[in-house]
Amino acid sequence: MYGSPPAPQALARGNGQHLLVATGDPDTSELLATTLELAGYRIAVADRGAEVVRRLAEHRLDLVVIDSELPGLGELGQGGRLKPAYRPPVLLLAAGDSLARIVPELGTGARDYVTRPFRIAEVLARVKVLLRDAGGGARTGNALSHADLVLDDATCRARRDARTLDLTPAEYRLLHHLLVNAHKVLSKEQISRYVWGEFRGDNAIEQLVSRLRRKVDRSGPALIHTRRGFGYWLGESSEDV
């Protein structure tokens, strides 16, 4: 099991948004529903793909938390049964460690991922970020871009020129954060809290940035830079700012 729900005072507060928790495991469903209710959200639950489709057709939900191993997940298809104008953000509970292997599609709305075994604090942080719907960067439809670097939230894939980047969920979130805040220096604490929902040691952040930099800047001019003593930024300059 994943532990007990945190105390109410430790939770990031919601504003009564309506969330759907969809998982085939009763214990996981109860844990998530209880925790999210304590955090100030209104919760509905589903245990099969067909029920998710029905609830999405009947109610305008603010966000869906869905298990990648939900029974009947194929019922969701490519989101074709959902109204085109209605694309709720999706938080996927996934067993994999690479976005290239994580589906399904629920329309073309914003999405994010938490890999199992998940931590409740990370689930709450990811829900908060998805609901916040922060804009920024150069966005076309569901894609964020800078120079020849493109991140597509609809497919959860990133590419540099014609080269596809195989990113882990943490690397994907870091790249998203850097793109949204292009040319802005982000501190290690800002990055850590966005990526993991909590502050982790400098070493963990440095290793994450290093892994992402190797993938993004493997060919072509460097886009991810360090401002020593302050943090990291993304932009078209080979010199630290």
Side-chain angles (χ1 to χ4, degrees):
M1 208 44 239
Y2 302 105
S4 301
Q9 62 269 25
L11 299 172
R13 301 300 302 174
N15 294 311
Q17 296 96 328
H18 195 182
L19 277 56
L20 175 65
V21 172
T23 172
D25 178 59
D27 290 337
T28 302
S29 181
E30 181 180 2
L31 171 65
L32 290 171
T34 300
T35 301
L36 291 165
E37 284 177 346
L38 287 171
Y41 301 104
R42 293 180 296 150
I43 304 301
V45 297
D47 60 6
R48 295 194 64 82
E51 188 173 359
V52 175
V53 172
R54 179 179 63 81
R55 288 186 176 274
L56 285 169
E58 294 175 350
H59 305 283
R60 187 172 183 84
L61 300 166
D62 294 299
L63 184 142
V64 178
V65 180
I66 189 167
D67 193 336
S68 64
E69 298 181 357
L70 179 74
L73 197 59
E75 294 279 346
L76 299 176
Q78 298 297 312
R81 296 177 64 179
L82 304 183
K83 297 178 180 180
Y86 179 44
R87 306 301 192 198
V90 174
L91 179 65
L92 184 67
L93 311 177
D97 61 355
S98 173
L99 294 179
R101 296 189 293 273
I102 296 176
V103 289
E105 298 294 340
L106 260 180
T108 57
R111 66 199 61 219
D112 204 343
Y113 304 83
V114 174
T115 54
R116 291 194 302 268
F118 61 80
R119 295 174 298 107
I120 285 296
E122 185 174 5
V123 171
L124 291 169
R126 304 271 48 91
V127 166
K128 181 178 179 181
V129 168
L130 280 168
L131 290 173
R132 187 173 63 206
D133 193 25
R139 181 180 289 274
T140 303
N142 296 292
L144 282 166
S145 64
H146 191 92
D148 59 352
L149 176 64
V150 178
L151 183 149
D152 190 344
D153 278 336
T155 60
C156 292
R157 295 182 186 276
R159 69 179 186 274
R160 179 86 191 265
D161 196 10
R163 179 171 55 89
T164 298
L165 308 178
D166 184 18
L167 304 180
T168 67
E171 292 165 355
Y172 183 92
R173 287 195 286 266
L174 171 58
L175 181 57
H176 187 282
H177 202 34
L178 289 169
L179 277 166
V180 166
N181 295 281
H183 292 293
K184 297 179 182 177
V185 176
L186 299 176
S187 70
K188 290 181 178 179
E189 182 170 358
Q190 286 175 314
I191 289 172
S192 185
R193 295 196 183 282
Y194 182 88
V195 172
W196 295 297
E198 63 183 11
F199 181 71
R200 298 192 180 183
D202 287 355
N203 190 50
I205 301 163
E206 290 166 3
Q207 289 181 1
L208 176 63
V209 172
S210 178
R211 291 197 304 270
L212 179 63
R213 181 180 273 147
R214 285 197 298 270
K215 295 179 180 181
V216 170
D217 294 338
R218 189 178 70 192
S219 59
L223 289 178
I224 298 175
H225 312 282
T226 302
R227 184 175 182 185
R228 293 179 179 84
F230 292 91
Y232 304 95
W233 62 283
L234 183 145
E236 295 178 87
S237 172
S238 60
E239 297 180 0
D240 291 349
V241 298

